[in-house]
Amino acid sequence: MKLIHSFQTRIAGSLFLLMLVVITLVYLTVKAATEASAVRQSYDQLDTGARVFRQVLDGRCRRLNDAVRVLAADFGFRDAVASGDVPTLRSVLANHGARVGAGDTYLLDMDGRLIASTVAAHSEGERLPGAVGAVNDGSCVLAGTGLPQLRVTVPVRAPLPIAQVVMSFAMDQAMAQEFRSLINLDVVFLGEAALMASTLPDEQGRQLVQELARAPGTGDGWQLTLGGRLYQVKRLTLGTQDHPVYVYLLRALDVALAEFEPLLRQLALIAGGALLAALLGALWLARNLAQPLRQLSVMSWRIGQGDYAVKVEVPRQDEFGRLAQVLEEMRQGIAEREQRLNHNALHDALTGLPNRLLAEERLRVFIATQSQVSLLYLGLDGFQAINESAGVAGGDRILRMVAERAQVLLAGRGCVSRPVGDEFLVQACRMGLEGAVGLAEQLRLSLAEPIEWEGQLFRLSCRIGVVEYPRHGDDPNQLIERARSAMLDAGQLPDRLRVYDEGRDAAQQRRLQLVQDLPLAGERGELMLVFQPKVALQGSGPHQAEVLLRWRHAELGMVSPGEFIPLAERSGSMAGLTRWVIQATIRQLALWQTQGREVKVSLNVSAVDLADTQLPERVMGWLDDAGVSARQLTFEITESAIMADPEAAIALLTRLSILGIRLSVDDYGTGQASLAHLKRLPVDELKIDQSFVKELAPGNDDAVIVRSTIEMGHNLGLEVVAEGVEEARALALLRSWGCDVIQGYYISRPVPAAEFEAWMERQSMPVLEALS
Ligand code: C2E
Ligand code: CA
Ligand code: CA
């Protein structure tokens, strides 16, 4: 986690540093370029300033020249010159000079001696200082001593030159200030090594003179530091070679740079903004990179911890996405391998059944969630011999067949496991001892079905030990051990089945034996049918009877259906019994048909039979085979059987009804079949339970119930049958209430087929008349 974190920080940090360097470099480069450009511009400005300075100076000279020329050409003035009238001349010079804004004005003779002047300090005949040799007809010159001056000299002609007028302008502080404001540069006039005028502050002016004394400089620009400020300087040379006058133009560089200050500030702002954006971008990028990495790291960690449940998913198209895909494939591979390993650890590799460990675990769960669990421990007989004759592959196949058959029989009601080699453990949920013994018998029968292997047929036999939770313990391991020890004991018994626990009572022993023997009763010829006649009270028709099952057990003798039918239902043998009864009945009907007897029979169908969705087709097949009509059959179903699962019952009964089989609600009045259900059922008949009929007497409760039931049945369009008619009184009442059919000991007990045939013979004469 820390590593990732530092990875993210490092990416962000590196990117940010990179951007910092780039942006700083850009900033510094632009700053340097800006400054260089400022310096260059500054020099340009100095050049421009110098040019402007010269032009303005020239302009002044020209104007001065023109003004002096006008004076020199003035007739009166010439006259005054010619006459030598000095006071007049002085006043004219003063007036004219003032008009053109000149400084000192002089009139000289042709030898350069003063005739008149506006300067009181000069006297006539004196030579004008600094003017000699500098006189240049009509031009502007600068004199060398004292303050430099702009000077214009114009001859006075009459017509030959008789004198010359000189007007001057001092290049003083005022002029320097004027130029400064014109060209926006500091101006310094420097005569022969002396400062004449300067717009610089005094201190800097003095420093400038000192600096120039060391290095006078050239006409090109250069830089000087004065009073702590950096200046650019340019020199103009005026005057003559002997008496030069230097004009220095100066520009403080900080001023020039100050102009670029806003630009640089803006640049700094932009750079700052760019840096911030870079920082945010770097953080985002780092996060974007680090997040999938972190996800992947968490997922790898989980896989490392053995948690393979969560899919590795990083929905990206890039390298991270591909890495996640690889990781996901890895996870699936590991998960599959681990699942296989887990499965192998808890399952038997040969049959795929749970092993002893898992069986125990399952049992623990069953015990915790089910009220009743039975365990059947099955050991195959002589498997060693089978292995020898069938070979290892054959033995394996046979073991797999055993597993398969046990699972088919259990039909999801529990769990089949294989603790060791040739032993199997069946756990059946919600099944008591009787059910378990029934299941054991079915298992034995199922295993007895031959298995073919390379031309040999193998019939398996086995010994089975049975325990039941909670009767025989509540510890899974102990229960399995007890079942196994019962199995080992079973090897000594003739029926090879043993229920753990010695202290069973005789009744239970009998029940278990019945359960054990039920599946074989049909094969052993112990079952038979009896027929109890039914008599229609109105009109005549074919003979009718209810078919009832009888079991004559080889050792226990006659067993009543009241005893074995519930046992069969609990032990899973009922379906087999029903099948036997239906087939035997159809055979009997076919036989009677050949004897020219037309008989309609009712037979009883249990709740478990209603769950057998293939029953209608099977019955139809048997009827077709025997050439018996479905109309000859009525199926009796008790109210409680219907109510156990009304939807399934309605579905199956509807199919039976469509095939033409009549349906009757047996034991009517003892259950809670609602009228609503009755209306939805395709039933044809109500059979009032014998408990209401046996003691039927005029005016008693049963009479009320039976009479109203008959009426209600008729209102619903149903035929009504009363069973349990034991007395003539009951018969008379039923007849008076319009009951359709009666059945009971008063007419006949259930009797074997031959006796029923005799009964039918006796019916050739109107028996009921005889009865009444
Ligand atoms: P059930 O369907 O109500 O059959 C009628 C029972 O009442 C029969 O007893 C019959 O012998 C008896 N009975 C008939 N008339 C009288 C009478 O006047 N008085 C008295 N006290 N009893 C009379 P059984 O044969 O012992 O059968 C008992 C029950 O066993 C039957 O009751 C039926 O529920 C079941 N059962 C019998 N055979 C079969 C069968 O083949 N399949 C199915 N699923 N159940 C059967
Ligand atoms: Ca019945
Ligand atoms: Ca009945």
Side-chain angles (χ1 to χ4, degrees):
M1 227 17 87
K2 255 201 171 94
L3 198 89
I4 295 289
H5 193 247
S6 88
F7 170 70
Q8 179 174 349
T9 326
R10 253 164 37 207
I11 288 185
S14 310
L15 283 174
F16 179 69
L17 273 181
L18 188 68
M19 289 307 285
L20 182 70
V21 168
V22 169
I23 289 172
T24 308
L25 276 180
V26 168
Y27 175 77
L28 290 179
T29 309
V30 171
K31 188 166 186 283
T34 310
E35 280 172 2
S37 147
V39 170
R40 220 171 23 253
Q41 269 186 33
S42 218
Y43 280 128
D44 287 351
Q45 213 167 339
L46 279 180
D47 284 343
T48 310
R51 264 199 311 279
V52 172
F53 183 86
R54 274 190 191 284
Q55 276 169 12
V56 171
L57 204 62
D58 282 357
R60 286 235 171 134
C61 287
R62 252 194 317 278
R63 273 206 311 284
L64 198 55
N65 213 318
D66 290 348
V68 178
R69 248 175 239 289
V70 170
L71 177 65
D74 185 80
F75 183 74
F77 181 67
R78 271 191 312 198
D79 236 20
V81 172
S83 65
D85 183 354
V86 173
T88 307
L89 285 173
R90 203 177 281 151
S91 112
V92 169
L93 287 177
N95 286 340
H96 203 78
R99 209 165 46 242
V100 295
D104 303 339
T105 310
Y106 312 89
L107 182 68
L108 308 177
D109 65 14
M110 290 314 287
D111 293 330
R113 271 187 291 268
L114 196 69
I115 300 170
S117 105
T118 55
V119 184
H122 296 301
S123 53
E124 274 104 72
E126 210 179 310
R127 276 192 185 275
L128 195 61
V132 182
V135 175
N136 190 352
D137 183 42
S139 11
C140 216
V141 278
L142 285 151
T145 58
L147 270 172
Q149 293 186 327
L150 279 181
R151 236 177 230 189
V152 176
T153 307
V154 175
V156 181
R157 295 170 199 272
L160 288 173
I162 51 169
Q164 37 193 355
V165 181
V166 177
M167 269 192 194
S168 71
F169 292 88
M171 292 183 67
D172 54 7
Q173 192 65 27
M175 189 177 185
Q177 286 296 351
E178 200 185 329
F179 272 109
R180 190 190 188 292
S181 61
L182 193 68
I183 57 179
N184 198 23
L185 296 170
D186 277 311
V187 181
V188 172
F189 298 144
L190 204 63
E192 311 196 331
L195 190 64
M196 301 302 176
S198 161
T199 58
L200 287 173
D202 290 348
E203 171 61 26
Q204 283 157 350
R206 262 194 303 282
Q207 269 188 22
L208 177 68
V209 176
Q210 283 165 14
E211 288 288 334
L212 292 177
R214 268 210 307 276
T218 68
D220 298 327
W222 76 100
Q223 293 185 351
L224 275 178
T225 307
L226 302 176
R229 287 180 83 182
L230 189 61
Y231 283 91
Q232 285 171 305
V233 188
K234 188 175 173 74
R235 189 183 73 180
L236 300 177
T237 310
L238 303 177
T240 61
Q241 227 165 21
D242 300 337
H243 304 290
V245 169
Y246 297 116
V247 176
Y248 290 93
L249 301 178
L250 296 97
R251 182 172 161 80
L253 206 58
D254 53 7
V255 176
L257 289 178
E259 286 172 17
F260 286 92
E261 204 74 339
L263 184 72
L264 285 175
R265 256 205 309 279
Q266 248 175 350
L267 187 69
L269 220 69
I270 291 171
L275 260 185
L276 190 69
L279 179 65
L280 292 179
L283 281 176
W284 176 82
L285 193 68
R287 228 177 93 84
N288 203 22
L289 287 181
Q291 199 173 321
L293 212 56
R294 191 176 310 141
Q295 253 175 301
L296 286 172
S297 130
V298 169
M299 285 164 177
S300 331
W301 179 80
R302 282 169 93 156
I303 292 175
Q305 297 296 305
D307 174 5
Y308 311 118
V310 183
K311 209 174 157 199
V312 179
E313 228 173 352
V314 175
R316 291 164 70 125
Q317 302 297 317
D318 56 9
E319 288 81 350
F320 289 114
R322 281 197 290 284
L323 184 58
Q325 224 174 322
V326 170
L327 214 57
E328 168 61 11
E329 279 160 19
M330 202 173 88
R331 179 194 71 83
Q332 281 176 5
I334 295 176
E336 258 168 46
R337 275 195 294 283
E338 179 162 291
Q339 219 172 7
R340 246 200 328 271
L341 279 177
N342 281 344
H343 187 270
N344 289 350
L346 295 174
H347 290 79
D348 162 32
L350 176 64
T351 57
L353 293 178
N355 61 14
R356 162 84 192 238
L357 209 65
L358 186 56
E360 213 176 298
E361 203 45 50
R362 291 264 166 94
L363 184 55
R364 205 181 302 281
V365 174
F366 288 151
I367 285 176
T369 54
Q370 317 280 340
S371 52
Q372 224 180 10
V373 184
S374 286
L375 262 62
L376 285 72
Y377 205 110
L378 183 150
L380 293 178
D381 291 334
F383 190 70
Q384 187 65 34
I386 293 174
N387 241 349
E388 273 161 22
S389 63
V392 175
D396 285 355
R397 159 138 176 95
I398 287 166
L399 286 175
R400 276 197 293 269
M401 287 299 292
V402 172
E404 224 169 81
R405 288 181 184 181
Q407 279 177 307
V408 167
L409 270 180
L410 195 59
R413 287 173 299 174
C415 148
V416 181
S417 53
R418 180 175 170 234
V420 283
D422 55 356
E423 295 176 5
F424 292 81
L425 178 66
V426 178
Q427 301 174 31
C429 298
R430 283 189 294 274
M431 188 180 277
L433 220 44
E434 287 145 12
V437 171
L439 183 63
E441 272 319 300
Q442 289 168 22
L443 254 174
R444 189 199 306 289
L445 288 177
S446 165
L447 294 188
E449 297 276 316
I451 298 172
E452 206 228 289
W453 177 255
E454 291 184 341
Q456 292 184 75
L457 284 182
F458 293 91
R459 278 194 182 79
L460 301 177
S461 67
C462 61
R463 50 207 186 273
I464 300 177
V466 177
V467 298
E468 190 215 310
Y469 163 84
R471 193 197 300 250
H472 297 126
D474 54 9
D475 174 64
N477 184 39
Q478 188 189 49
L479 281 168
I480 294 175
E481 278 312 317
R482 289 187 169 171
R484 184 158 194 278
S485 85
M487 180 273 285
L488 293 175
D489 290 349
Q492 326 301 327
L493 301 176
D495 55 4
R496 310 184 68 70
L497 176 92
R498 185 179 166 94
V499 176
Y500 181 80
D501 183 5
E502 294 309 305
R504 288 176 301 180
D505 58 28
Q508 195 199 335
Q509 198 116 26
R510 178 184 161 89
R511 277 204 300 279
L512 292 179
Q513 188 173 2
L514 289 179
V515 165
Q516 210 177 322
D517 294 341
L518 255 175
L520 304 167
E523 267 175 43
R524 290 180 181 160
E526 295 175 356
L527 297 178
M528 60 179 212
L529 297 180
V530 291
F531 300 83
Q532 184 172 35
K534 290 163 76 182
V535 175
L537 292 178
Q538 266 91 33
S540 59
H543 295 293
Q544 299 181 38
E546 175 173 7
V547 179
L548 295 158
L549 183 59
R550 292 293 177 264
W551 180 18
R552 190 191 302 277
H553 191 276
E555 293 156 32
L556 306 174
M558 283 305 287
V559 185
S560 87
E563 185 178 10
F564 72 80
I565 295 288
L567 283 179
E569 283 177 340
R570 286 209 294 275
S571 66
S573 312
M574 195 60 231
L577 286 185
T578 302
R579 192 178 312 155
W580 188 91
V581 170
I582 297 174
Q583 284 182 303
T585 303
I586 291 173
R587 273 198 302 275
Q588 184 63 64
L589 288 176
L591 183 65
W592 281 331
Q593 208 160 287
T594 58
Q595 297 167 359
R597 297 181 209 274
E598 197 196 354
V599 185
K600 290 173 77 173
V601 294
S602 301
L603 36 86
N604 297 281
V605 174
S606 279
V608 289
D609 297 318
L610 294 182
D612 179 3
T613 53
Q614 279 154 16
L615 184 70
E617 280 67 39
R618 242 187 275 127
V619 175
M620 238 13 237
W622 296 327
L623 285 171
D624 286 350
D625 289 348
V628 173
S629 159
R631 306 239 156 259
Q632 288 177 261
L633 290 184
T634 298
F635 280 6
E636 296 186 3
I637 309 104
T638 62
E639 277 183 284
S640 47
I642 294 168
M643 293 312 290
D645 184 357
E647 295 309 315
I650 289 170
L652 192 88
L653 296 180
T654 305
R655 284 168 60 202
L656 288 170
S657 165
I658 288 169
L659 294 177
I661 294 170
R662 288 180 81 252
L663 300 174
S664 170
V665 181
D666 202 356
D667 300 348
Y668 186 77
T670 57
Q672 293 92 38
S674 69
L675 275 176
H677 277 119
L678 277 187
K679 271 179 70 181
R680 286 177 60 204
L681 281 172
V683 290
D684 306 276
E685 183 184 293
L686 282 189
K687 196 164 182 183
I688 302 172
D689 189 67
Q690 46 182 291
S691 59
F692 303 104
V693 179
K694 274 190 271 192
E695 280 136 36
L696 204 56
N700 67 5
D701 286 352
D702 290 343
V704 177
I705 293 169
V706 171
R707 190 177 180 177
S708 58
T709 304
I710 293 170
E711 252 172 56
M712 186 208 71
H714 286 163
N715 289 341
L716 286 171
L718 304 175
E719 199 166 283
V720 181
V721 181
E723 69 175 333
V725 180
E726 296 184 354
E727 297 166 10
R729 186 176 51 172
L731 170 63
L733 284 172
L734 289 165
R735 188 203 295 273
S736 70
W737 294 329
C739 182
D740 303 292
V741 178
I742 54 161
Q743 175 187 347
Y745 291 172
Y746 184 67
I747 292 155
S748 167
R749 290 190 171 254
V751 292
E755 275 180 52
F756 179 60
E757 285 165 19
W759 181 86
M760 284 190 285
E761 297 296 335
R762 288 201 297 278
Q763 295 308 300
S764 50
M765 55 178 174
V767 72
L768 286 175
E769 266 69 21
L771 288 169
S772 53

